[in-house]
C-alpha cells in the first residue's frame, strides 16, 4: 500500500495532480487507514498510469473517464476523433508559426509575398525607407480590398520599374521625403514626371481600362494616407491639377486644365 507521495512518484506525476484527479472524480480517493493516512493499492497505480498516459497524449481530462470504461471499438473511435482534433490544432499552429515568421521580416506584415518582392525591388532602385514605409502601408490597404488581384497586378508594377521616368520619380519623392521644406522645389519635378506617366497611361488605354475605378473608398483612403504621411501630398495634387490631372492613385484627366 502506497502513500500519495509514493503513488505520484511511481506514476510519474505530482501529488498536486493526484489531488486534482480526486477532485474531478477521475481517480477514486481511498479511505483513510487507522493512522489517518490514505493508502493506495496497485490498482490505483495502474489507473493513475493510464490517466497520465492519456493526458500526456493530449486527451482532455473530461474524456478520460469515458475512455477508461469504453470497449475496444468505442475507445478506438474516441482516439480517432481526438487525433483528428489534434491534427487540426497542429495545422493552425503551423499556420500561426508561418505568420509569426513573416512578421519578423517587417514588410510581410499583412502583405502577400508578391508585394514584399515588389518592395524589395523598390529598395534596389534607391527608394528611401520612409518612402517604402508609405508604399507598404498603401499596399496593405490595396491587399485588404482586392486580395485576389495582387498576383495579377504585381508583374505589371514590376515591369513599370524598368521605365527610367518612374525610377526617377521614386528617387525624387524619396529626396522630398527626407526634406523638411514645406514647398520643396522638387515637387514641381515630381508633378512633371507624374503627368508624363499619366499621359503615357492614357495613350495606352491603361487608365480607361481600370475596372475598379468606380470603387471610391480605397482610393479615398490612399489619398488620406498620403496626406497623413506627408502634408505636402496636397501640394503635389494641386500641381497635378495644374497639369491637367486629378490625383495620382486614381488618375483622371480633367476636361480642361485650369488656367
Amino acid at each position: 500500500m502506497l502513500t500519495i507521495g509514493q503513488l505520484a512518484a511511481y506514476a510519474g506525476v505530482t501529488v498536486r495532480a493526484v489531488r486534482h484527479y480526486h477532485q474531478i472524480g477521475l481517480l477514486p480517493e481511498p479511505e483513510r487507514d487507522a493512522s489517518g493516512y490514505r493508502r493506495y493499492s496497485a490498482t490505483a497505480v495502474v489507473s493513475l498510469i493510464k490517466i497520465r498516459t492519456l493526458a500526456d497524449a493530449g486527451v482532455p481530462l473530461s474524456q478520460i473517464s469515458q475512455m477508461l470504461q469504453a470497449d475496444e471499438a468505442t475507445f478506438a473511435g474516441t482516439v480517432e476523433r481526438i487525433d483528428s482534433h489534434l491534427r487540426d490544432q497542429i495545422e493552425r499552429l503551423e499556420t500561426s508559426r508561418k505568420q509569426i515568421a513573416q512578421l519578423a521580416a517587417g514588410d510581410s506584415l499583412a502583405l502577400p509575398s508578391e508585394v514584399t518582392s515588389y518592395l524589395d525591388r523598390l529598395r534596389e532602385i534607391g527608394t528611401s525607407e520612409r518612402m517604402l514605409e508609405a508604399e507598404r502601408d498603401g499596399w496593405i490597404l490595396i491587399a485588404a480590398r482586392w486580395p485576389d488581384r495582387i498576383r495579377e497586378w504585381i508583374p505589371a508594377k514590376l515591369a513599370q520599374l524598368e521605365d527610367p521616368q518612374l525610377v526617377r520619380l521614386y528617387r525624387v519623392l524619396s529626396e522630398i521625403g527626407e526634406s523638411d521644406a514645406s514647398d520643396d522645389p522638387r515637387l514641381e519635378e515630381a508633378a512633371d514626371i507624374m503627368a508624363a506617366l499619366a499621359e503615357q497611361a492614357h495613350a495606352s488605354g491603361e487608365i480607361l481600362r481600370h475596372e475598379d475605378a468606380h470603387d471610391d473608398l480605397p482610393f479615398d483612403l490612399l489619398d488620406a494616407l498620403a496626406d497623413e504621411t506627408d502634408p505636402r501630398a496636397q501640394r503635389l495634387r494641386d500641381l497635378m491639377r495644374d497639369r491637367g490631372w486629378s490625383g495620382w492613385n486614381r488618375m483622371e484627366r480633367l476636361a480642361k486644365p485650369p488656367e
Side-chain angles (χ1 to χ4, degrees), residues 4 8 13-24 27 48:
I4 189 171
V13 300
T14 64
V15 171
R16 182 177 180 180
V18 176
R19 288 177 174 151
H20 179 62
Y21 297 154
H22 287 331
Q23 291 174 357
I24 64 176
L27 182 70
L48 182 56

Side-chain angles (χ1 to χ4, degrees), residues 103-149:
L103 297 185
D107 288 346
S108 298
L109 177 59
L111 287 175
S113 59
E114 291 85 359
V115 176
T116 58
S117 296
Y118 177 70
L119 295 176
D120 287 340
R121 181 70 184 113
L122 289 181
R123 285 190 179 89
E124 292 174 2
I125 66 172
T127 305
S128 70
E129 286 302 317
R130 182 174 178 179
M131 182 70 185
L132 278 167
E133 183 178 349
E135 187 85 11
R136 179 172 59 243
D137 289 349
W139 277 105
I140 288 175
L141 293 175
I142 294 171
R145 192 66 165 190
W146 299 295
D148 299 330
R149 305 292 302 280

Side-chain angles (χ1 to χ4, degrees), residues 168-199:
R168 176 58 186 167
L169 176 62
Y170 272 106
R171 290 175 179 169
V172 170
L173 291 175
S174 294
E175 292 170 3
I176 293 171
E178 299 301 318
S179 166
D180 294 327
S182 59
D183 194 11
D184 193 305
R186 285 169 291 196
L187 288 168
E188 294 280 354
E189 181 182 356
D192 286 339
I193 297 173
M194 291 171 67
L197 292 171
E199 292 290 347

Side-chain angles (χ1 to χ4, degrees), residues 10-128:
Y10 197 98
V13 300
T14 64
V15 171
R16 182 177 180 180
V18 176
R19 288 177 174 151
H20 179 62
Y21 297 154
H22 287 331
Q23 291 174 357
I24 64 176
L26 193 53
L27 182 70
E29 190 172 8
E31 297 294 331
R32 296 184 184 276
D33 62 15
S35 301
Y37 294 99
R38 299 189 189 280
R39 301 290 179 173
Y40 294 84
S41 65
T43 301
V45 177
V46 172
S47 295
L48 182 56
I49 291 173
K50 289 181 178 178
I51 293 169
R52 184 211 68 199
T53 302
L54 291 170
D56 288 348
V59 178
L61 295 181
S62 60
Q63 298 183 32
I64 289 179
S65 180
Q66 296 176 350
M67 293 187 68
L68 291 175
Q69 301 172 27
D71 58 32
E72 185 175 347
T74 303
F75 186 92
T78 303
V79 168
E80 185 176 351
R81 287 194 299 274
I82 293 171
D83 182 60
S84 177
H85 177 68
L86 289 173
R87 283 200 303 271
D88 291 341
Q89 285 186 318
I90 290 171
E91 290 178 3
R92 287 194 295 270
L93 289 172
E94 288 294 339
T95 299
S96 295
R97 288 191 64 208
K98 291 177 182 178
Q99 292 173 337
I100 290 296
Q102 288 179 337
L103 297 185
D107 288 346
S108 298
L109 177 59
L111 287 175
S113 59
E114 291 85 359
V115 176
T116 58
S117 296
Y118 177 70
L119 295 176
D120 287 340
R121 181 70 184 113
L122 289 181
R123 285 190 179 89
E124 292 174 2
I125 66 172
T127 305
S128 70

